[in-house]
Amino acid sequence: MSQDSDNNHKSATLGMSNRLTNYGDADFSLFLRKAFIKGMGYTDDALSRPVIGIANTYSGYNACHGNVPGLVESVKRGVMLAGGLPVEFPTITLHESFAHPTSMYLRNLMALDTEEMIRAQPMDAVVLIGGCDKTVPAQLMAAASADIPTVQLVTGPMLSGSHRGTRVGACTDCRRYWAAYRGQDIDDAEISEVNDKLVPTVGTCSVMGTASTMACLAETMGMMLPNSATAPAVYADRQRIAEQSGAEAVRLAKEGITPSQILTPEAFENALRVLLSLGGSTNALIHLTAIAGRLGIDIDLEAFDQMSAQTPVLVDLKPSGEGYMEDLHRAGGLPTLLRELGPLLHLDAPTINGRTLGENIEAAVHLIDQPVVRPRSRPIYAQGGIAVLRGNLAPSGAIIKQSAASASLMQHRGRAVVFHSLEDLAQRIDDPELDVNPDDVLVLANIGPKGAPGMPEAGYIPIPKKLAAQGVKDMVRISDGRMSGTAAGTIVLHVSPEAAEGGPLGLVRDGDIITLDVAANRLALEVDEQTLESRRQQHSSAAADTGALLGYRRLFMEQILQADQGCDFAVCRPELHCRVPRRSAQTPDQR
Ligand code: FES
């Protein structure tokens, strides 16, 4: 870098004098700050540089972030090569299997922590290192609210493993083997053996679960460098991406480009389109709604469903297809899919590297003959991976991952077998006396945002053991909860409003008839309104008095919004001023 440009850049950023602690004397505040940081050995020259914060989310509880220390070093190298001063700082980190009662309960806490640490400390730009399911959404929510120049960097997927010659990976195969164990197809020794093989390296789950989906959407929206969603956690590529992310953050700091300039309505529309074509996680719809909501942008479920009818699933990864994330990386990464979707995307959307999405696609390696991303003429699934359902059972909507459901159950009418809570489910699901048949509809209420609380990923209701032993692999299952992005089955999720908010799901009784018709976007409870009203009168809502609760639990219960509003806290969401996608979402032929 020339001396001139270096000096120009120094004047464009505030560095250490940014966001001073209030002592009533700004010069003294800076004097004191520099005195303390010099205690760690910094020179005045170092402290005069643009400051790039690096959110370090390493934790001994988080294997998905096990490579973060190395990534932090690579980001620092990139920042320093570009003339900036890197300063790492810790934030909350969340791992799916190490967050009680569920990581979703803590996503908004991580978003608040990240946002406030960005706001409180001197930094001209920030690199947010996330990966596991809730971390990237939390960081992007924070970035949208804090609105300083931001680069998202993901830890990258783990590699796939091998069990007795079969390729396996977390966590679609975790569920597949567990279902086989419950069905007594494999024994204690084999389930223990497979437990050693499912997670062979650090990194995020190796299928198109929530973490992989959110990584792909962050890249689509331009918040990550091109081709950075898919590089495995343990590849050298991942470290190079980290170095480049650090350098990019310095450039963004100097140019003053913030997330609100990148996360436009067009960026969200692109993300929704890519979510559908990935066969991606249903959770991503909640997260996108929360991130967009921070910017006053509303995700329109009806229009999303129109978009779904026009957008095929093209990526052949589990759980909708066959492969693993490392296969998509070898197939050219996300740009291979974006190129195929080109006519359906807003290619002029800006990205953090200063180029448009279309320019990034042009610049990416173009592999002609690859087996992972199908052409639009030969899709995995003709429509988008997610369909929206409505009806008297879900007045504010519900969703189903149709690409991972059983074709034979997409239109189904059956008798309800109702579980009123997670505890009720745990006590009765495997009872040999449970009155349940393969054609019944399993209903689980009170696992919504307030009900559980935290909307756990318990929507993947297990097949009752006595039916699993008979070979039943799938049934229609309905809940107001979520499902892991790695799971599959004919599973209706996010029923809104939830039972604990007085939603009709809490009024279903054993033996009621429920109709699911995915093609008609219909989810209906065949019970007359008079009967429902009398049940409503008796229904004691779980969303009761919050006055006895303290701390975060009270904040959560008082502020949490429903799934169709992204489960964000009401106080974090400004007035909505814009809806995406546009109602008249166009087909490829129309463009
Ligand atoms: Fe972290 Fe799956 S548990 S990405």
Side-chain angles (χ1 to χ4, degrees), residues 4-224:
D4 272 359
S5 66
D6 196 20
N7 285 338
N8 286 342
H9 293 150
K10 277 184 204 171
S11 61
T13 53
L14 294 171
M16 278 293 151
S17 57
N18 205 356
R19 303 188 188 91
L20 292 169
T21 310
N22 279 334
Y23 292 113
D25 177 345
D27 290 339
F28 176 69
S29 295
L30 181 58
F31 171 77
L32 202 58
R33 171 175 286 175
K34 287 175 74 172
F36 276 106
I37 200 163
K38 282 179 176 176
M40 291 189 280
Y42 289 97
T43 62
D44 278 316
D45 180 32
L47 297 175
S48 70
R49 305 286 172 147
V51 177
I52 309 301
I54 304 169
N56 182 342
T57 52
Y58 177 78
S59 158
Y61 291 107
N62 196 343
C64 301
H65 292 204
N67 61 342
V68 167
L71 293 178
V72 169
E73 291 312 308
S74 297
V75 173
K76 285 181 175 175
R77 186 167 65 245
V79 170
M80 288 191 282
L81 285 169
L85 174 67
V87 182
E88 70 181 277
F89 63 98
T91 72
I92 292 174
T93 189
L94 297 171
H95 183 278
E96 289 302 289
S97 298
F98 289 87
H100 177 79
T102 172
S103 60
M104 189 64 178
Y105 176 66
L106 298 165
R107 182 201 66 177
N108 295 351
L109 183 62
M110 181 172 176
L112 286 174
D113 173 24
T114 308
E115 176 186 343
E116 294 308 322
M117 287 300 98
I118 292 171
R119 285 189 199 282
Q121 301 171 128
M123 57 188 88
D124 297 297
V126 65
V127 178
L128 300 170
I129 306 180
C132 196
D133 293 17
K134 304 305 176 295
T135 61
V136 172
Q139 291 178 329
L140 289 176
M141 289 161 72
S145 293
D147 206 27
I148 73 162
T150 302
V151 176
Q152 181 76 56
L153 171 66
V154 294
T155 54
M158 65 182 78
L159 297 180
S160 59
S162 175
H163 169 64
R164 299 187 182 179
T166 300
R167 206 171 170 212
V168 295
C171 229
T172 303
D173 297 314
C174 312
R175 295 170 199 286
R176 185 165 64 81
Y177 278 96
W178 191 250
Y181 179 61
R182 281 177 60 82
Q184 296 167 8
D185 294 336
I186 65 173
D187 59 16
D188 289 354
E190 185 169 357
I191 196 69
S192 171
E193 197 183 318
V194 81
N195 195 244
D196 285 343
K197 306 295 182 190
L198 289 164
V199 182
T201 71
V202 295
T204 51
C205 286
S206 51
V207 300
M208 190 50 74
T210 305
S212 300
T213 304
M214 287 309 302
C216 290
L217 301 188
E219 182 178 329
T220 300
M221 292 193 290
M223 289 298 293
M224 297 206 307

Side-chain angles (χ1 to χ4, degrees), residues 145-367:
S145 293
D147 206 27
I148 73 162
T150 302
V151 176
Q152 181 76 56
L153 171 66
V154 294
T155 54
M158 65 182 78
L159 297 180
S160 59
S162 175
H163 169 64
R164 299 187 182 179
T166 300
R167 206 171 170 212
V168 295
C171 229
T172 303
D173 297 314
C174 312
R175 295 170 199 286
R176 185 165 64 81
Y177 278 96
W178 191 250
Y181 179 61
R182 281 177 60 82
Q184 296 167 8
D185 294 336
I186 65 173
D187 59 16
D188 289 354
E190 185 169 357
I191 196 69
S192 171
E193 197 183 318
V194 81
N195 195 244
D196 285 343
K197 306 295 182 190
L198 289 164
V199 182
T201 71
V202 295
T204 51
C205 286
S206 51
V207 300
M208 190 50 74
T210 305
S212 300
T213 304
M214 287 309 302
C216 290
L217 301 188
E219 182 178 329
T220 300
M221 292 193 290
M223 289 298 293
M224 297 206 307
L225 288 175
N227 216 6
S228 67
T230 55
V234 295
Y235 275 22
D237 282 352
R238 178 58 53 200
Q239 298 298 333
R240 277 189 283 275
I241 290 163
E243 182 185 305
Q244 290 160 357
S245 296
E248 207 61 53
V250 178
R251 190 186 61 76
L252 284 177
K254 292 169 179 173
E255 295 181 4
I257 296 169
T258 65
S260 60
Q261 294 166 261
I262 305 286
L263 294 171
T264 60
E266 289 73 24
F268 284 104
E269 199 166 323
N270 284 342
L272 291 169
R273 189 75 78 176
V274 168
L275 168 61
L276 289 163
S277 67
L278 288 170
S281 167
T282 47
N283 288 320
L285 196 51
I286 293 180
H287 298 319
L288 278 179
T289 304
I291 299 161
R294 294 285 179 115
L295 295 158
I297 299 170
D298 188 28
I299 301 291
D300 182 349
L301 276 183
E302 303 289 341
F304 173 70
D305 197 64
Q306 286 176 16
M307 190 186 252
S308 178
Q310 305 156 359
T311 310
V313 176
L314 299 179
V315 178
D316 193 5
L317 296 192
K318 290 173 184 286
S320 295
E322 283 307 314
Y324 295 86
M325 281 297 278
E326 65 198 77
D327 303 325
L328 178 56
H329 188 60
R330 283 193 205 101
L334 189 68
T336 302
L337 173 67
L338 297 176
R339 186 177 292 111
E340 191 58 39
L341 286 176
L344 294 167
L345 299 173
H346 296 283
L347 296 173
D348 53 355
T351 75
I352 53 161
N353 71 351
R355 299 197 193 127
T356 64
L357 185 68
E359 287 166 344
N360 283 337
I361 296 170
E362 279 291 308
V365 173
H366 188 175
L367 296 181

Side-chain angles (χ1 to χ4, degrees), residues 514-533:
I514 291 176
T515 299
L516 168 68
D517 187 343
V518 178
N521 299 97
R522 187 157 167 267
L523 182 67
L525 176 64
E526 297 182 19
V527 175
D528 62 76
E529 188 47 43
Q530 199 178 355
T531 308
L532 288 179
E533 188 49 43

